[in-house]
Amino acid sequence: MTDQSDTRQGMLAMIAAMGLLPIGDAIAKLLTGVASPFDVTVWRIGMQALFFVPIVLVMRHRLKGPLLSWTALVSGALFAAVMICLVSAFQKMPIATAIAIFFIEPLLLTLLAWPFLNERPGPRRIAAVVVGLIGALIVIRPNFTIFGPVALFPVGAAIAYALNMILLRRASRTRSALTLQIGATFCAAIGMLILDAGSIILGRDTVSIFELPGWVFPALICAGAMLSLTFLLITHAFSRVEAGLLAPFQYLEIVGATIVGFAVFGDFPDALTWLGTAIILAAGIYVFHRERMTGT
């Protein structure tokens, strides 16, 4: 009964996390109406780091290894790249479309794990990856015509995220996932603040905090709280349930992104986007299935 209870708790935590992520994305998209994607990324990561401070104090007994390290620094840089690419995409594209393209990440991870982790995929998984990438092209092509190169930003986010997952896999042998994720967030926040200050000194135009609408600060606090809560829910889920069982639940984020995007912005994916998304999801689920069942 304990195993079943743990599995149920893990699945419910993952479902809740996937429901919260699109809300945070919608807040980021709203913020790009008053500031640049770079500024929004700085605010979002900085707020997340602030919320992690009390989490570190409360959960310090679960930390293993140093918070700040070269691994955390590289992971933080990749995390920042993911955020910048996604927020830039959200500014121009429907959230659901950007997230659909981003979900080629598990497919890219399958390919990148071969040279970096010596995890060679079998021919069936390689075929599934090719099919999934074709699905991504179906989504990207019409959106590239409409939005231009910004339609490729979710691809950049997917590549950076996949590389970060490989880095975390290797590093988790000597330190806990909690330590790595929090350390990466702190490094990302410090790095982005340095870049922000440096760019302003060099003359970059940025919005003054005194010119921002009153709703911005409550929105940032809400975004930071939800990102932190989402992180804790995902960490809890993976501590209770094996990754292969939880992986398909990640695709619920597209459902949430579609609902939130339509409710807040009136965006709804067209038929080609749905077709490409279905192909990406089917390929991703098949890859997870092969990894769980045969590992080939």
Side-chain angles (χ1 to χ4, degrees):
M1 291 297 292
T2 302
D3 290 344
Q4 291 181 356
S5 177
D6 286 346
T7 300
R8 184 164 54 251
Q9 286 184 30
M11 288 181 175
L12 289 174
M14 197 67 179
I15 291 170
M18 294 306 103
L20 289 175
L21 276 175
I23 299 175
D25 293 339
I27 293 175
K29 185 176 177 71
L30 288 170
L31 289 170
T32 60
V34 298
S36 70
F38 181 83
D39 287 326
V40 172
T41 302
V42 173
W43 299 343
R44 201 177 184 193
I45 294 178
M47 191 61 66
Q48 183 176 351
L50 286 177
F51 273 93
F52 275 165
V53 172
I55 291 174
V56 169
L57 297 176
V58 173
M59 305 182 69
R60 59 186 180 276
H61 61 284
R62 294 183 57 183
L63 300 178
K64 177 185 176 184
L67 276 177
L68 304 180
S69 63
W70 286 110
T71 300
L73 182 63
V74 176
S75 179
L78 291 170
F79 171 58
V82 172
M83 295 292 287
I84 290 174
C85 287
L86 285 180
V87 173
S88 298
F90 294 153
Q91 184 184 37
K92 302 293 185 181
M93 300 173 61
I95 295 174
T97 302
I99 294 298
I101 299 171
F102 173 73
F103 268 117
I104 63 171
E105 177 273 325
L107 308 176
L108 296 177
L109 180 59
T110 299
L111 295 180
L112 293 173
W114 187 355
F116 287 105
L117 298 176
N118 199 29
E119 298 177 1
R120 183 173 181 174
R124 294 184 181 182
R125 272 192 281 173
I126 291 177
V129 169
V130 172
V131 171
L133 294 179
I134 291 174
L137 289 176
I138 293 174
V139 179
I140 292 171
R141 184 174 177 182
N143 286 284
F144 190 88
T145 301
I146 298 171
F147 302 110
V150 72
L152 298 178
F153 281 22
V155 177
I159 294 171
Y161 193 89
L163 289 172
N164 194 33
M165 291 300 294
I166 288 172
L167 179 68
L168 295 179
R169 276 192 193 179
R170 294 177 67 94
S172 62
R173 300 165 186 169
T174 58
R175 63 199 79 188
S176 67
L178 188 67
T179 301
L180 289 167
Q181 297 284 3
I182 293 179
T185 300
F186 286 160
C187 287
I190 294 170
M192 291 299 292
L193 287 172
I194 292 174
L195 286 176
D196 187 37
S199 66
I200 292 174
I201 292 173
L202 292 175
R204 181 178 71 90
D205 291 331
T206 184
V207 62
S208 170
I209 59 173
F210 301 106
E211 298 174 355
L212 293 173
W215 60 267
V216 169
F217 294 102
L220 283 173
I221 293 172
C222 184
M226 282 195 297
L227 279 172
S228 302
L229 178 58
T230 300
F231 165 80
L232 291 176
L233 287 169
I234 292 174
T235 301
H236 177 74
F238 278 96
S239 70
R240 298 278 180 167
V241 185
E242 64 180 82
L245 189 59
L246 286 175
F249 286 91
Q250 297 177 38
Y251 293 130
L252 291 175
E253 184 181 354
I254 292 181
V255 178
T258 302
I259 294 172
V260 171
F262 181 73
V264 179
F265 305 102
D267 295 329
F268 195 78
D270 58 20
L272 272 180
T273 299
W274 279 118
L275 174 62
T277 301
I279 293 173
I280 294 170
L281 299 191
I285 291 172
Y286 181 78
V287 166
F288 288 131
H289 171 72
R290 293 300 301 175
E291 288 178 351
R292 283 195 70 212
M293 300 301 296
T294 65
T296 59

